Structures are given as C-alpha cells and as structure tokens.
Amino acid sequence: MNNQQRNEPCHCGSGKKYKNCCMRKDEAQAQLSKQTYDVRRVIGPNTSPYIFWKRWSAACGRNEFGLVYDMLLSNGELAEKFRTAEDFFVNINEIGLPYEGRWNLDKIKLTETSCMFLCHRIDTDDKRADQVCSLMTLKRTELGYRVENIQRSVCRADDILSFDLFGIHSAECDYLKKVKSGWVRPDLTDEATRFVAPED
C-alpha cells in the first residue's frame, strides 16, 4: 500500500509533487482493485434501457468505476478516448458522468440498435439558472447495451429540454415550440369541443 503524502516528491522520480503526478493513478488502481462485479452478470442481452440506467447509476453511486468502464462500448468514443479503466477513473471529473441522484433522467429515445438518455443536472433550486444537460448514447450489442458516448450541453432555463439541444431533430420539440408560441390543436379548441344540443 502506498503511504506517500500529497506534497512529497512523487515516487516515480519525476520531481513533481505526488498530488500533481501519480496520486490519481494510484487512487485509481486501489479503487479498481476492489471491483467485485462482472459486467456480464449486471448487464445482459435482455436488460432493458431503464434497468441499464438504474444499474449504471448504482455503480456510479458506489464509485465502482471499473464496472462503469466495463459498461462502455469497446470501440465507442469514450472507450477510444480513455483506453484503460485507470485513465477513465483519473478523468472522471472531465467526463461528468450522469447518474441518478445527481442527474434527472428526462427522456429516453429508443431505436432497434441504440438508445439515448437525455438528462439534466439537479444541483440548484434556482428555476432561472442555466441547466447542464447530458446526452448518453448506448448501442445494443449481443451482450446487451453499452455506452458509446456522453455529451454535455448548457441550456437556458426557458429552453425546451429536448434532443434538439444535441442536434437530433424531434417531432416533440416542433410541437412544443408551436404550443409555446400560442398554437392550439384545432380539435381541442372551444369551438371544436363545444357541445351542440340535438334538435327535437
């Protein structure tokens, strides 16, 4: 076990302080060595997207980042950017992983081969504050869903929270924009729904 102090020269001989050199890597190795779950027993071919979200959230909440890393798509953007679980762990803050407790899952978009989770961060009670949003893209594989990429965006409080924030067109957003501008479906107007008594 490494008992090196944060401000001591790093044990690797770089001349830097330990906290600015190998500390995060050593923490990663210590944390990852505690992993007890095999991803194939947590996520399977029949695991639904919502259950994937719950199990992903549980792993993030328990700091089981080795398991979280195993939930990544092996040739996806995140896995290509962070080639090892240690590298992934060291850069957790840069990635900004969305998970239940700190993030609210707002929408799920499902196709035959992929799934997208649209979430927003819930770290403020200020209803007028900008919102940090996240789009988590999953691909379906023969072993079950795996995370291909996670994107982040900041939107204004009055923006419609939709997939359009990430350049993905949705009919829902078109409809909500029309409603926000005052449009009312003709079949829901007072005139259309007004009861007319039958003639005797």
Side-chain angles (χ1 to χ4, degrees), residues 133-178:
C133 305
S134 179
L135 179 69
M136 189 165 148
T137 305
L138 284 63
K139 289 292 181 186
R140 187 193 293 271
T141 74
E142 60 183 19
L143 298 174
Y145 285 104
R146 295 293 185 267
V147 178
E148 180 180 35
N149 197 21
I150 297 173
Q151 300 168 261
R152 296 178 76 184
S153 179
V154 177
C155 63
R156 298 190 309 271
D158 59 346
D159 283 342
I160 297 169
L161 192 60
S162 79
F163 292 99
D164 289 60
L165 294 169
F166 294 90
I168 301 166
H169 180 262
S170 67
E172 175 203 32
C173 190
D174 290 344
Y175 175 74
L176 291 174
K177 283 178 180 176
K178 287 172 72 174

Side-chain angles (χ1 to χ4, degrees), residues 77-138:
E77 290 186 50
L78 267 184
E80 287 294 310
K81 186 174 181 181
F82 305 106
R83 294 300 185 99
T84 66
E86 289 87 352
D87 193 24
F88 179 76
F89 180 94
V90 168
N91 292 282
I92 285 294
N93 292 335
E94 177 190 333
I95 303 166
L97 298 180
Y99 64 94
E100 201 167 63
R102 295 186 180 181
W103 293 75
N104 188 67
L105 177 58
D106 298 287
K107 294 180 171 69
I108 299 177
K109 188 178 183 75
L110 192 62
T111 70
E112 288 186 9
T113 59
S114 67
C115 175
M116 296 180 205
F117 295 143
L118 181 65
C119 341
H120 77 275
R121 193 173 170 91
I122 47 177
D123 54 5
T124 178
D125 293 327
D126 185 355
K127 302 299 183 187
R128 296 166 298 173
D130 290 346
Q131 293 188 89
V132 178
C133 305
S134 179
L135 179 69
M136 189 165 148
T137 305
L138 284 63

Side-chain angles (χ1 to χ4, degrees), residues 45-65:
N46 298 319
T47 304
S48 70
Y50 182 68
I51 296 302
F52 182 99
W53 168 257
K54 300 293 282 186
R55 293 178 181 170
W56 164 276
S57 295
C60 290
R62 293 190 301 256
N63 294 328
E64 293 180 347
F65 295 115

Side-chain angles (χ1 to χ4, degrees), residues 175 178-179 183-194:
Y175 175 74
K178 287 172 72 174
V179 170
W183 178 82
V184 178
R185 271 176 48 184
D187 58 330
L188 295 180
T189 61
D190 290 340
E191 187 62 31
T193 58
R194 185 167 57 86

Side-chain angles (χ1 to χ4, degrees), residues 15-97:
K16 298 178 182 178
K17 289 184 178 181
Y18 180 53
K19 66 181 180 183
N20 296 325
C21 194
C22 292
M23 187 175 81
R24 287 288 290 165
K25 181 180 176 183
D26 290 346
E27 288 176 347
Q29 290 173 347
Q31 186 69 39
L32 295 170
S33 69
K34 299 175 184 176
Q35 179 175 332
T36 56
Y37 292 100
D38 183 333
V39 68
R40 291 168 297 183
R41 298 188 68 181
V42 176
I43 304 295
N46 298 319
T47 304
S48 70
Y50 182 68
I51 296 302
F52 182 99
W53 168 257
K54 300 293 282 186
R55 293 178 181 170
W56 164 276
S57 295
C60 290
R62 293 190 301 256
N63 294 328
E64 293 180 347
F65 295 115
L67 177 58
V68 174
Y69 185 78
D70 289 342
M71 292 185 189
L72 303 186
L73 185 68
S74 60
N75 59 348
E77 290 186 50
L78 267 184
E80 287 294 310
K81 186 174 181 181
F82 305 106
R83 294 300 185 99
T84 66
E86 289 87 352
D87 193 24
F88 179 76
F89 180 94
V90 168
N91 292 282
I92 285 294
N93 292 335
E94 177 190 333
I95 303 166
L97 298 180

